Amino acid sequence: MTNIEADVALEAARRFLDGHFATLESLELIDDLLSGEENTHAQLQSDLENASRATEALRDEAVDISQSLRDKALALIDLHSEVVGAAADDNVSAWQFRDGTETMDLVATLATELQSYDKLSRAKTYIDALLEVEQAKQSARQSLSTNPQGMLSAYSKLIAILAAHSNSGSLAPLTSGSATSDCSADSPPQPSNLLEYTKQSVQEIWSEANKAAASAQSESLTKLGWPTKMDLSSAAAVGAFDASFSTLAGLDHVTRAASDALARCGLALRADDAPPLPLEHMARAVDIRMRYHFESARTTSRADKPEWWLSQVLGMLRNIVPFLESHVQRLFNGTTLPQLDARNEFICLVLPVVQRKLTHDRSEYIRDGLVIAHVVHELADFEHTLRDVYFYDGPSVLGQFLADSALFSAWVEAERANAVESYMQIIAESNPFELVYEDDMLGADDAKPSRLAEKVVLVIEDVAERYAVVPSCMQRLQLLSTAQFPILIALVEDIEGEIDEFSRISLAFIRDAGITNAIATKPTTATQSPLVSQLARLTSWYQTIWYVEEAADDWNNSATYVDMWAAVCQRAAALGRNTDPRDWRVNCDEWSDADRALLDETTHQSLANDDWLDGGIWERSIGTLRELKQRVLDIISRAINKDVVGQLRAYRKKNNWAAEGIGANADTDVSIELSGLLPELSSVLAALETMVPSLAFSLLLRQLAAELDTFLVERVALAHSFSQCGGRQFAKDIGALSQLLGSSTARGATKKLKHRVLLKSRECSLILACSLDSTTAPAANDMPLSLDEWGPTVISSDASDRETKLVLKKLGISNLSAKEARSLVGLRVDFAELTGCNT
């Protein structure tokens, strides 16, 4: 045992010398140090002798009292024996025991002496405990700056004294009194206050040791350049830091190890989740430096420029992290504290500095909510740097910042107001639907944005970009519902208002009176039709809706909104009751913590309803835009159809189809009533071709062809009598219209329409232009049989519709009904004269 103690003492002396006398110059101070230590030792020896003498005196007094009590107890036993013996003797006279005063006095005296003995015994225990406490306190205080290990030993002993006497109850008060009554550490304690005095002594030594070691660590860190760029060239400063770090770590270890015993005594010197004591004091210097900077009026501390003061934190970390990763981590690994990453733990201790700065600027953020978006982005970048560069894995500062409901509400309201203001500015301009780009700058099938469409998409995407870094899905959904959807709703409502106004007024007067009248001659000059101007207005709405629709479709498939849709579906599945995830906006402002837990869950389970997988956050908005786009396309179709049909009024009223020789000298010329329509319709279609995508253009051509086909069959072919020459003129007109509708200057997709437009009109022209008999010279594209060969069969009352259809099919007529074919044959005046039929 002696050898072990000697080795321990030698090792302690070696560590002490290495920590305090690292250089040759410092060894000159050994004599002074040894002289001081000898004086201290002599003083301690004197105090110990005085305490020993006082203890011996009290022990002698206690022995005397004990002997006196023993003698009186023996006398009482003898007296008791006499009394018992006398009571058993029948010959003893009763008068000898009538007066028991002497016996009772003896018993009372004995009880008093026993009580005094008990008090003295307890007093001795108190004195012994007090001596132990005082010796431990004095030893700890004398070792604070010279012998850290001795200080820790004395501190541990003091805690052990408190724990041992507290558990045994030996420090219980002698008399009634409060154990928490006031007791000064510098005045002699009263017995009733000894437990409290011991607790106070433990707390005092803890505070003094903590303060002394922290001061030494701070002084050494200052010499090393902390918390700026570290300079480890000074061996003395590094040694002093190592010694103070070891002292703080040991103090922390001793306190944590005795935490249960201290808690039973009502002391909580260190919380269970408290950081390591050395790192806590290291972070305090950073905290003081940053507090001075962040709460000042410096330019780099502006609330609206968070990137400036966050760069200060990152710059500080760049300077000190190498020191933490190498030197501090090595020191920490040599302690008895639980192992951890010193770098990550220190970053956790520094982040409250950032949180306090955010709290300091909170009032400015609430006044200007859009600044919050900037702060959120900078905080996200800051955390990204911490996690990617320094491998930080602690709590999120951004999440704690956005947990402030008032702050987040201010941001949401600011985003909504800014989005609405931006939209109102563009919609209030003179021509918000004006297309931004020229026709040749974009492809034929590319959406051409108007200024309004481009602004709407830009506003919505800007809002999304600002909240994309928000970690809470519920908060992203609330921003989407409050700041983005209203802009899209406003766009739809404004376009619907424009459409309603156009439908009430413009469409009724789409052409001026001169154009709708019969056209007597071909126009000699090419001027832009009013229809083209109206179509340009309509197609600008179409392009606006189309551009926003395509953008919404892209949003719907982006990672940000796919994650949000998955969260919405997850919540709908959890709620059950046939909940439709597309109704997520209903009461989204009243979502509870349970809703947040469902929406913010990072892992989403597979959904039982596969139909939801085909949807998306923007699904209903896309559907609304498509319906609105189709409505505009229908109006464009009606406008074109109405204009063309209006120009065909003179053609419909033409009544010389039955005249002989009509068109005989102009085999390629169309009717003069149609000559004005064809070039204008060609220019309209050419202009329209550049205004809408190919699919929409093909659809408009089909609708126009169907409208013309019906008009030409019902209002022209079946409404007039025809000669063979008139029929051939009608065939020329139908061919010219078919060529116009089926041709295309730029898009191959519409070339397929050439042989699929005006089908019934072409079949009407075949019947009306068919050669009367075999002696008549056949015309181009004439029927294989002359009219006198198949006409009687068709108009015969004995022929059924089925038989008539079979005959017509062989002749290449499949779209006309049997009734229409009979009517057309009957309208041939030359055939009626030939057969004697009454038309």
Side-chain angles (χ1 to χ4, degrees):
M1 178 63 72
T2 303
N3 293 333
I4 294 175
E5 292 177 352
D7 293 340
V8 173
L10 182 61
E11 179 62 26
R14 183 180 294 110
R15 286 198 304 270
F16 177 79
L17 290 175
D18 291 341
H20 294 79
F21 304 101
T23 62
L24 182 61
E25 291 78 1
S26 61
L27 293 177
E28 297 176 358
L29 302 176
I30 291 180
D31 290 338
D32 296 337
L33 177 62
L34 291 177
S35 177
E37 289 297 321
E38 289 175 356
N39 294 335
T40 302
H41 180 71
Q43 181 65 34
L44 288 174
Q45 189 66 29
S46 175
D47 293 341
L48 181 59
E49 291 175 356
N50 292 335
S52 298
R53 284 194 295 272
T55 303
E56 289 297 330
L58 289 172
R59 187 178 292 109
D60 293 342
E61 183 181 355
V63 170
D64 293 341
I65 294 173
S66 177
Q67 185 63 35
S68 176
L69 288 174
R70 181 177 178 277
D71 294 342
K72 290 184 179 182
L74 292 175
L76 180 61
I77 292 172
D78 293 340
L79 179 60
H80 178 267
S81 299
E82 293 177 5
V83 173
V84 172
D89 190 357
D90 295 336
N91 297 321
V92 179
S93 302
W95 66 269
Q96 295 176 329
F97 302 101
R98 283 197 294 249
D99 187 3
T101 304
E102 182 180 355
T103 302
M104 296 305 297
D105 289 343
L106 182 60
V107 172
T109 301
L110 178 60
T112 302
E113 295 296 339
L114 287 173
Q115 186 177 11
S116 299
Y117 176 77
D118 179 65
K119 290 182 178 180
L120 288 172
S121 178
R122 294 178 61 191
K124 178 180 180 299
T125 303
Y126 273 91
I127 292 173
D128 292 341
L130 177 61
L131 288 174
E132 289 183 306
V133 171
E134 287 298 322
Q135 290 174 0
K137 281 180 61 178
Q138 191 170 7
S139 176
R141 282 174 172 164
Q142 290 175 350
S143 303
L144 280 177
S145 59
T146 58
N147 185 8
Q149 293 300 322
M151 181 274 297
L152 292 176
S153 299
Y155 176 62
S156 300
K157 182 178 180 181
L158 194 58
I159 294 177
I161 293 171
L162 176 63
H165 289 293
S166 177
N167 291 335
S168 63
S170 59
L171 297 186
L174 287 172
T175 59
S176 61
S178 174
T180 59
S181 60
D182 295 336
C183 176
S184 173
D186 298 328
S187 61
Q190 299 298 322
S192 60
N193 297 331
L194 190 53
L195 178 61
E196 184 66 24
Y197 176 75
T198 307
K199 291 165 53 179
Q200 189 173 351
S201 299
V202 172
Q203 193 164 9
E204 285 178 358
I205 296 302
W206 153 261
S207 300
E208 293 174 11
N210 184 22
K211 183 178 180 181
S215 177
Q217 185 188 66
S218 176
E219 183 179 353
S220 61
L221 282 174
T222 301
K223 293 179 181 178
L224 295 174
W226 183 272
T228 57
K229 189 172 182 60
M230 303 294 291
D231 181 9
L232 304 182
S233 60
S234 175
V238 173
F241 170 76
D242 294 350
S244 59
F245 188 95
S246 177
T247 301
L248 287 170
L251 187 63
D252 197 8
H253 170 69
V254 172
T255 306
R256 289 178 186 273
S259 59
D260 293 339
L262 293 173
R264 286 194 297 270
C265 298
L267 280 179
L269 300 180
R270 297 287 287 164
D272 293 338
D273 57 348
L277 195 58
L279 295 181
E280 183 178 333
H281 286 297
M282 292 175 70
R284 190 163 298 165
V286 176
D287 180 80
I288 293 173
R289 179 183 179 88
M290 293 301 175
R291 182 193 294 268
Y292 171 77
H293 180 85
F294 289 166
E295 296 181 5
S296 66
R298 295 186 179 186
T299 305
T300 54
S301 186
R302 288 170 51 181
D304 61 335
K305 295 292 183 181
E307 64 274 20
W308 290 354
W309 55 264
L310 285 173
S311 66
Q312 298 286 328
V313 179
L314 292 176
M316 177 269 300
L317 289 176
R318 281 194 301 270
N319 290 329
I320 65 176
V321 161
F323 179 68
L324 292 170
E325 292 176 332
S326 57
H327 196 82
V328 174
Q329 186 67 56
R330 177 177 56 81
L331 291 176
F332 200 90
N333 293 339
T335 66
T336 54
L337 293 173
Q339 295 302 300
L340 50 76
D341 185 351
R343 176 195 57 234
N344 188 76
E345 187 68 23
F346 186 81
I347 293 176
C348 291
L349 294 174
V350 169
L351 288 184
V353 176
V354 177
Q355 295 171 350
R356 187 170 59 249
K357 171 61 176 173
L358 294 173
T359 303
H360 180 268
D361 297 336
R362 181 176 182 273
S363 58
E364 295 189 41
Y365 296 152
I366 291 180
R367 283 197 299 270
D368 186 2
L370 286 181
V371 176
I372 300 175
H374 182 47
V375 175
V376 166
H377 257 273
E378 293 302 328
L379 284 177
D381 292 342
F382 174 73
E383 285 195 8
H384 181 76
T385 302
L386 292 183
R387 298 188 189 279
D388 289 356
V389 177
Y390 302 113
F391 305 103
Y392 170 69
D393 61 353
S396 169
V397 178
L398 177 58
Q400 295 175 359
F401 177 68
L402 292 176
D404 188 335
S405 58
L407 204 68
F408 180 71
S409 298
W411 181 21
V412 172
E413 177 58 26
E415 288 287 4
R416 185 201 64 79
N418 181 68
V420 171
E421 181 182 2
S422 299
Y423 179 81
M424 295 305 296
Q425 287 177 352
I426 187 65
I427 200 68
E429 294 181 2
S430 58
N431 190 8
F433 293 99
E434 180 183 2
L435 299 183
V436 177
Y437 305 107
E438 298 295 336
D439 293 339
D440 56 354
M441 294 182 65
L442 295 173
D445 291 326
D446 293 330
K448 302 177 180 61
S450 64
R451 290 190 293 131
L452 176 61
E454 197 172 49
K455 186 68 173 180
V456 166
V457 171
L458 183 62
V459 168
I460 293 176
E461 290 181 347
D462 283 348
V463 174
E465 183 180 358
R466 285 193 288 271
Y467 72 65
V469 297
V470 174
S472 170
C473 182
M474 187 185 80
Q475 291 181 330
R476 294 199 302 270
L477 287 168
Q478 288 174 337
L479 279 162
L480 169 65
S481 175
T482 306
Q484 291 177 289
F485 277 148
I487 302 303
L488 207 57
I489 293 172
L491 173 69
V492 171
E493 290 177 349
D494 285 336
I495 293 180
E496 286 180 339
E498 294 282 343
I499 292 174
D500 293 340
E501 185 70 17
F502 183 88
S503 299
R504 285 196 305 270
I505 301 175
S506 301
L507 195 57
F509 304 98
I510 201 165
R511 300 189 59 82
D512 55 35
I515 295 178
T516 57
N517 292 332
I519 301 177
T521 59
K522 286 185 179 181
T524 57
T525 59
T527 59
Q528 186 182 39
S529 168
L531 175 63
V532 175
S533 300
Q534 295 291 353
L535 291 179
R537 181 183 178 189
L538 290 169
T539 53
S540 69
W541 301 342
Y542 181 91
Q543 294 285 358
T544 298
I545 302 168
W546 183 25
Y547 183 79
V548 177
E549 178 202 347
E550 286 199 337
D553 194 57
D554 292 339
W555 301 334
N556 210 40
N557 297 318
S558 65
T560 299
Y561 295 108
V562 167
D563 290 342
M564 294 165 70
W565 176 248
V568 167
C569 292
Q570 189 73 24
R571 173 178 175 270
L575 294 177
R577 301 188 303 275
N578 297 323
T579 304
D580 190 339
R582 292 171 297 182
D583 296 331
W584 65 269
R585 290 190 65 201
V586 179
N587 300 325
C588 69
D589 294 336
E590 301 175 3
W591 277 340
S592 63
D593 292 339
D595 293 314
R596 180 166 192 154
L598 289 173
L599 293 168
D600 291 352
E601 186 178 354
T602 55
T603 57
H604 302 295
Q605 301 176 358
S606 59
L607 301 176
N609 192 341
D610 293 337
D611 294 339
W612 294 352
L613 299 177
D614 298 329
I617 286 291
W618 296 93
E619 178 185 359
R620 286 188 171 174
S621 300
I622 294 172
T624 301
L625 291 170
R626 285 176 179 168
E627 292 175 359
L628 188 61
K629 186 176 67 173
Q630 185 59 47
R631 183 182 174 189
V632 173
L633 200 63
D634 292 342
I635 293 178
I636 294 174
S637 177
R638 290 201 304 272
I640 297 173
N641 295 348
K642 182 175 181 180
D643 180 81
V644 172
V645 169
Q647 293 190 68
L648 287 174
R649 289 180 181 176
Y651 189 75
R652 174 177 62 86
K653 295 179 179 179
K654 181 179 178 180
N655 55 10
N656 61 345
W657 297 106
E660 293 295 334
I662 180 174
N665 298 324
D667 292 338
T668 59
D669 290 343
V670 297
S671 299
I672 191 173
E673 295 84 357
L674 199 62
S675 60
L677 169 67
L678 295 179
E680 184 172 350
L681 180 58
S682 177
S683 64
V684 169
L685 294 180
L688 183 63
E689 191 177 24
T690 64
M691 296 178 185
V692 293
S694 58
L695 185 62
F697 183 69
S698 298
L699 179 61
L700 291 172
L701 283 183
R702 291 177 186 276
Q703 292 174 345
L704 176 60
E707 182 75 17
L708 285 177
D709 201 23
T710 301
F711 178 85
L712 292 172
V713 171
E714 295 179 356
R715 308 297 295 274
V716 178
L718 294 175
H720 298 87
S721 298
F722 287 83
S723 64
Q724 180 180 348
C725 292
R728 291 182 176 180
Q729 182 62 52
F730 182 71
K732 295 176 187 177
D733 297 342
I734 298 302
L737 286 172
S738 299
Q739 180 67 26
L740 175 61
L741 295 177
S743 63
S744 173
T745 59
R747 305 181 189 181
T750 57
K751 292 180 179 179
K752 298 179 181 179
L753 294 174
K754 182 174 182 180
H755 301 292
R756 291 188 296 167
V757 297
L758 306 181
L759 297 179
K760 294 183 69 175
S761 298
R762 281 215 303 259
E763 292 180 357
C764 290
S765 67
L766 287 176
I767 296 176
L768 295 176
C770 182
S771 299
L772 181 63
D773 51 38
S774 57
T775 61
T776 307
N781 299 324
D782 203 351
M783 299 182 71
L785 298 177
S786 59
L787 186 60
D788 64 344
E789 295 179 292
W790 59 271
T793 303
V794 170
I795 64 175
S796 173
S797 59
D798 296 334
S800 64
D801 289 348
R802 183 173 178 274
E803 293 173 342
T804 302
K805 291 289 289 183
L806 289 174
V807 172
L808 294 174
K809 188 174 182 180
K810 291 179 180 180
L811 296 173
I813 298 175
S814 57
N815 293 284
L816 292 174
S817 65
K819 181 179 179 181
E820 290 172 335
R822 293 190 188 101
S823 299
L824 290 170
V825 172
L827 290 173
R828 282 286 298 269
V829 293
D830 48 357
F831 177 74
E833 294 174 356
L834 178 65
T835 59
C837 295
N838 186 7
T839 60

